[in-house]
Amino acid sequence: MSQQMAVPGVYVLILRLEEEATLSVGSLGVSIYASGWYGYVGSALGGLIGRLRHHLSIPKRHHWHIDYLLQLARVTAIVAIPTHRPLECSLAAFLGSRFPVVPHFGSSDCQCVGHLFYSQHGVALMRLALDAPHFLACPRQTASSSLAEEPDR
């Protein structure tokens, strides 16, 4: 594995769900997900690139809660924060201070309310995600696809 692939960190996936969906998410069971924008906070202490590649591919089997939502939602942007520090829960608390939390989603291994956040406004969610590295005192790297082209609904 190259050194670049092994760079650890935390990240925010910005997702767009075009239509309301009823989705069965592993141990969480069946829930309704409103159309709109979602921010998912994750960590990749074993390497950001490998984890993000997983999220951007079509998984053969579902390993994390987010794998289920990614069947229907489109990743529009990624905010990657390289760090060796375990900041996933701090990042989740930061986003959770401004956006509604989807309870228990992505947080089965911690005490957080959840690691998935909802917004009707993609730009507002993206702006807060871009502020997160400053809040966490870390550098950031971003990759986006089409968020800039989406209207702020």
Side-chain angles (χ1 to χ4, degrees):
M1 180 184 297
S2 73
Q3 280 189 342
Q4 185 180 20
M5 292 225 13
V7 171
V10 295
Y11 57 90
V12 180
L13 299 179
I14 305 296
L15 311 168
R16 174 76 172 135
L17 184 61
E18 296 291 337
E19 297 179 5
E20 181 180 278
T22 301
L23 192 60
S24 178
V25 178
S27 61
L28 297 180
V30 177
S31 295
I32 296 172
Y33 293 83
S35 64
W37 296 88
Y38 290 86
Y40 172 76
V41 173
S43 66
L45 297 181
L48 280 166
I49 292 175
R51 180 63 53 85
L52 296 174
R53 275 189 186 153
H54 170 85
H55 291 322
L56 295 173
S57 68
I58 299 171
K60 291 183 169 94
R61 67 180 187 80
H62 299 97
H63 184 75
W64 294 287
H65 292 154
I66 192 63
D67 292 337
Y68 296 88
L69 185 57
L70 287 171
Q71 294 176 99
L72 303 174
R74 175 174 51 93
V75 175
T76 61
I78 298 167
V79 177
I81 305 167
T83 182
H84 291 273
R85 298 181 297 162
L87 297 174
E88 180 180 8
C89 294
S90 297
L91 181 54
F94 179 70
L95 288 179
S97 70
R98 302 272 175 81
F99 295 102
V101 181
V102 177
H104 310 294
F105 195 105
S107 61
S108 57
D109 60 348
C110 67
Q111 299 300 312
C112 295
V113 174
H115 286 209
L116 183 68
F117 309 91
Y118 175 77
S119 177
Q120 292 180 339
H121 306 286
V123 172
L125 186 58
M126 184 65 182
R127 283 183 184 143
L128 193 64
L130 288 170
D131 285 345
H134 176 71
F135 168 78
L136 298 170
C138 296
R140 77 166 179 247
Q141 297 177 357
T142 59
S144 64
S145 57
S146 61
L147 183 62
E149 300 166 14
E150 298 289 335
D152 189 359
R153 298 178 194 173

